[in-house]
Amino acid sequence: MSASASKKKRKELDQQGLSKQQLAQKTKQETKKKTLRNVLILLAALIVVAAIIFGTIKLTEANRYAADYDVKAAAATVGEHQITVPMFNYFYNSTASNYAQMYVSYGMIQANTPLSEQSFSETQTWEDFFIETTKTNIQQVYNIYDEAMKDGYTLTTEDQAAIDMAVNNMKAEAKAAGMANVDYYLAQRCGLGCNLENFKEYLNVTQIYSSYTAQKQESFAPTAEEVAEAYAADKASYDTVAFRYTRINAESQEVASEEETTDADAPAETEYTAEAKEKAKTDAEAAKATVASDGTALTGNKNTVVSYLNEDATSWLFDESRKEGDVEVFADAEDTVYYVVSFTSRDDNDYNRSTAYVVNIPKQDTEGQPTAADTLAVLDKAKEDKLSDEDFEKVLTDNGFSVSVTPIARNYSNEDIRNFVYDESRQSGDMATFEDDTYYYVVRFAAKEEQTYQYTLVSSDLQNDKANEWFTQVSETNAITVDDALLANANTDLTFYSNQSAN
């Protein structure tokens, strides 16, 4: 990523008021909130993403592949499980790579610099943070693994196929790196003491963990009665409102600080005069006449709306007595910010969303990549050949596109796509191409969802709440204990390199 792009992403975070510590904790909280669907170690294999490459261990000929510590000794324990240093290395690599996908792109982890030399907080380096996070992940995985064993879970055919694929991929990586012996490659890639035997053990444990948690997730699906009751009790959390608003800020003026400061970047103190506040109020009242036509148009649920307005305005918008054209003014606690809000409509989301494959093709060609015209020609042929979904997905994969079916809500931002997929005559496999200034959009209609969008929203929340309660209880069954002296041998001081600088 270029410095300018990294700076732009960093600015986006600053505008959200998120420090790297807050973002890390936010990521962990969101991961925990979706524990059974989006756990950090859901993938059975180690993750190596295109944007980052791990630095390999610098090995001398003398200790090239042999560890100078007991690779069978327990560096950590969870219940009856003894976690060796090589096993810890696998978990650590997976944890760090998942986080680094985002943090390197945001410039919060610097490329080409060891994690031990980068501060995460006043008391922790990024290496420290990842070590502590890995300990938590290990505790969760082994406690859930034990629960799976008690429940009689065994590897399915799909589980074994995933493990075999991970092993074969690692062997292929070793061969591509010029190493016939995969044990040597794992030692260099993940840490001294790592080999194919303990890598398979890691894959077995994490595959059972991820598959069992997914199975439990399904078991917590609520009944239709539970969904209806939950929606009736909290409609505002699941409905969306369309509205327009104008924000008016009172004019402030800088005042001299009573304390001397040498910080040239320190923000100047401000104050608002009574006249400035009164003018803002007058301007807000005047804006009531024009906000319905000139205000900024938005659509969102309660959480989205409150991020733009204050809580009073949000509550007003979601009041069930609201009617189209209602206008009101809301002030903050200091009467320095006014929100002029006009209600447009409310949607209970009680409809079946359309789903579609949406392929975004940049109009600006990239050197070394197929041109937009070439890609469009390939997809046009797929349209002419009337391929099945399976064959169409293969075309996408063969041409470097990710395969996913996107639910298209009826407030979807692209009007052309929205109108296409909601056409009553639409049939599975129908395709069309649209464009704007920067992209072509190839759209292939898939189907209508079986459940209404409202049902999906409510049932997902109920299911996750039950699943998270179970996950929290089980994952804390046994605490993790650590032998810090032995764990010091783990390969944790990683360095990430951007593709541009990796050699």
Side-chain angles (χ1 to χ4, degrees), residues 48-69:
V48 183
V49 296
I52 55 175
I53 300 175
F54 285 112
T56 55
I57 309 167
K58 298 184 183 303
L59 303 172
T60 64
E61 290 299 325
N63 69 351
R64 189 163 179 75
Y65 303 112
D68 58 0
Y69 61 89

Side-chain angles (χ1 to χ4, degrees), residues 357 382 385-395 429 444:
Y357 300 89
D385 293 344
K386 298 182 179 179
L387 300 179
S388 66
D389 283 348
E390 183 179 358
D391 289 338
F392 180 72
E393 290 179 0
K394 186 176 186 306
V395 170
R444 177 186 170 97

Side-chain angles (χ1 to χ4, degrees), residues 153-164:
Y153 185 86
T154 56
L155 288 170
T156 65
T157 302
E158 292 77 11
D159 289 334
Q160 190 59 56
I163 292 173
D164 292 343

Side-chain angles (χ1 to χ4, degrees), residues 251-261 266-274 276:
E251 185 176 351
S252 62
Q253 59 184 27
E254 294 183 8
V255 296
S257 174
E258 295 180 0
E259 299 180 3
E260 293 186 5
T261 178
E269 293 187 21
T270 60
E271 68 174 18
Y272 299 86
T273 64

Side-chain angles (χ1 to χ4, degrees), residues 432-443:
T433 301
F434 307 103
E435 63 178 290
D436 58 21
D437 292 340
T438 54
Y439 285 93
Y440 295 104
Y441 302 96
V442 177
V443 184

Side-chain angles (χ1 to χ4, degrees), residues 104-405:
V104 171
S105 68
Y106 274 102
M108 299 170 73
I109 293 178
Q110 300 303 314
N112 312 319
T113 304
L115 294 176
S116 65
E117 298 177 13
Q118 303 185 55
S119 295
F120 168 75
S121 67
E122 292 182 359
T123 58
Q124 283 187 315
T125 63
W126 275 106
E127 180 186 23
D128 296 330
F129 171 72
F130 286 142
I131 288 173
E132 293 306 311
T133 303
T134 299
K135 291 176 184 177
T136 299
N137 292 338
I138 288 174
Q139 175 182 309
Q140 292 174 343
V141 167
Y142 278 98
N143 279 320
I144 299 296
Y145 173 86
D146 280 344
E147 187 71 10
M149 294 298 97
K150 291 178 186 177
D151 204 13
Y153 185 86
T154 56
L155 288 170
T156 65
T157 302
E158 292 77 11
D159 289 334
Q160 190 59 56
I163 292 173
D164 292 343
M165 180 181 293
V167 171
N168 290 334
N169 287 344
M170 190 59 70
K171 289 179 178 178
E173 283 186 27
K175 184 177 180 180
M179 295 186 181
N181 190 320
V182 71
D183 287 349
Y184 292 170
Y185 177 71
L186 280 165
Q188 188 176 59
R189 168 73 173 78
C190 302
L192 295 174
C194 292
N195 55 43
L196 190 57
E197 179 184 0
N198 50 40
F199 180 58
K200 288 180 178 179
E201 179 186 350
Y202 164 79
L203 294 175
N204 184 77
V205 171
T206 54
Q207 186 65 43
I208 288 176
Y209 162 73
S210 61
S211 294
Y212 182 67
T213 53
Q215 182 186 92
K216 291 298 293 186
Q217 171 80 12
E218 292 301 317
S219 73
F220 292 118
T223 65
E225 291 75 15
E226 289 174 323
V227 171
E229 182 179 339
Y231 172 73
D234 189 14
K235 294 181 180 180
S237 290
Y238 303 105
D239 291 357
T240 56
V241 293
F243 63 100
R244 287 183 177 272
Y245 83 102
T246 299
R247 172 174 168 151
I248 296 175
N249 298 316
E251 185 176 351
S252 62
Q253 59 184 27
E254 294 183 8
V255 296
S257 174
E258 295 180 0
E259 299 180 3
E260 293 186 5
T261 178
T262 58
D263 186 357
D265 296 326
E269 293 187 21
T270 60
E271 68 174 18
Y272 299 86
T273 64
E275 291 78 8
K277 293 181 180 182
E278 187 61 32
K279 183 179 185 306
K281 181 179 180 180
T282 301
D283 290 346
E285 288 295 330
K288 290 172 67 174
T290 58
V291 63
S293 58
D294 298 341
T296 301
L298 285 176
T299 301
N301 59 23
K302 186 168 62 176
N303 290 335
T304 301
V305 173
V306 78
S307 67
Y308 287 93
L309 311 177
N310 60 23
E311 291 185 3
D312 289 341
T314 301
S315 297
W316 179 83
L317 278 170
F318 281 93
D319 189 304
E320 292 195 52
S321 66
R322 270 308 54 77
K323 300 186 299 297
E324 181 180 1
D326 285 355
V327 179
E328 191 56 84
V329 175
F330 301 90
D332 67 356
E334 291 77 29
D335 293 331
T336 59
V337 179
Y338 286 84
Y339 301 94
V340 187
V341 186
S342 173
F343 179 82
T344 305
S345 63
R346 179 167 177 163
D347 190 344
D348 62 7
N349 290 311
D350 190 19
Y351 69 100
N352 300 81
R353 289 184 299 181
S354 292
T355 62
Y357 300 89
V358 180
V359 185
N360 301 338
I361 304 171
K363 286 187 171 181
Q364 183 174 351
D365 294 332
T366 302
E367 185 178 352
Q369 299 294 323
T371 65
D374 290 340
T375 303
L376 286 171
V378 170
L379 296 180
D380 282 343
K381 186 176 187 306
K383 177 181 178 181
E384 294 171 4
D385 293 344
K386 298 182 179 179
L387 300 179
S388 66
D389 283 348
E390 183 179 358
D391 289 338
F392 180 72
E393 290 179 0
K394 186 176 186 306
V395 170
L396 293 181
T397 302
D398 291 346
N399 286 273
F401 291 101
S402 60
V403 175
S404 63
V405 178

Side-chain angles (χ1 to χ4, degrees), residues 69-77 82-88 483 486-487 489:
Y69 61 89
D70 186 353
V71 297
K72 300 290 186 180
T77 59
Q82 297 187 339
I83 295 89
T84 63
V85 169
M87 191 66 67
F88 187 93
D483 182 338
L486 190 57
L487 193 61
N489 294 288

